[in-house]
Amino acid sequence: MAETRMLTGHDEIRDWAAARMGAPAIRQASAAIGNNEPFLLIVFDQRAYEDQDQGQDRPTDLGAPEIVEWDEWFEIFDRRNLGLVVAKDVPGVRESFHEIVAR
């Protein structure tokens, strides 16, 4: 496995995600697993552009992530004291490996 580094600054996280066509997303908590906290993630490529319209004629997919604004994502990120672990940059490679962990 490649070496990793932890990102905690908002600008460096936004820049890292933007360089990989990533967008902030939240998956709502599942009562089935006894957790009320939303699950933070970053979605990439085409998944970030999927139709987010949840009109009355479409069922709500409770397991699907919802693309959100960075401010909303960072509010949860900071409140829970999280960090984003990513692979160290290697010239010519845009690795999208990431993991959101407690600091």
Side-chain angles (χ1 to χ4, degrees), residues 87-103:
K88 285 191 176 181
D89 290 333
V90 175
V93 177
R94 285 283 182 214
E95 177 66 52
S96 62
F97 164 80
H98 70 287
E99 185 175 7
I100 298 171
V101 300
R103 288 187 217 174

Side-chain angles (χ1 to χ4, degrees), residues 8 11-14 18 58 60 66 69 71 73 78 80 96:
T8 57
D11 288 339
E12 65 183 345
I13 291 171
R14 264 193 289 262
R58 293 183 60 188
T60 302
E66 176 187 354
E69 296 295 325
D71 289 341
W73 195 90
D78 291 339
R80 292 175 53 195
S96 62

